[in-house]
Amino acid sequence: MDTQMPKITMYTTDWCPYCVSTKRFLNNKGIPFEEINVEQDEEAAEFVMNANGGNRTVPTLNIEGLGVYTNPSPKKLTELLQLAK
């Protein structure tokens, strides 16, 4: 595991297909992340709504040192994680 990898917090729901694909991408790359379900954590839901103009849009990823990204593509995630190295 890369010791320089930023902390990634991914805000999700159980029913979101984009969350499933983003988790699969990160897992396949061996990239650790913390998952928080916004339907079970009201503070997390507030964070997501503040980041997304009042919407509970998921997946929303908070990547330490890089910012908050909503439903980033695999290409965008790859670019962001390259920046973090």
Side-chain angles (χ1 to χ4, degrees), residues 4-68:
Q4 295 181 20
M5 188 63 62
K7 178 182 177 192
I8 299 173
T9 304
M10 180 165 38
Y11 299 91
T12 66
T13 63
D14 291 331
W15 50 265
C16 169
Y18 300 108
C19 297
V20 172
S21 64
T22 301
K23 288 188 282 189
R24 184 180 307 122
F25 173 80
L26 292 172
N27 285 327
N28 286 344
K29 297 289 186 183
I31 299 168
F33 62 92
E34 176 185 8
E35 180 180 0
I36 300 175
N37 187 319
V38 299
E39 295 180 315
Q40 299 170 359
D41 185 324
E42 193 56 39
E43 285 184 36
E46 289 291 324
F47 175 84
V48 168
M49 288 189 298
N50 286 333
N52 293 296
N55 298 310
R56 285 193 187 197
T57 308
V58 291
T60 296
L61 283 75
N62 186 1
I63 304 174
E64 182 181 44
L66 296 177
V68 178

Side-chain angles (χ1 to χ4, degrees), residues 69-83:
Y69 299 88
T70 303
N71 195 18
S73 68
K75 180 181 178 185
K76 180 67 174 177
L77 276 174
T78 300
E79 291 169 1
L80 289 168
L81 296 172
Q82 288 298 319
L83 287 173

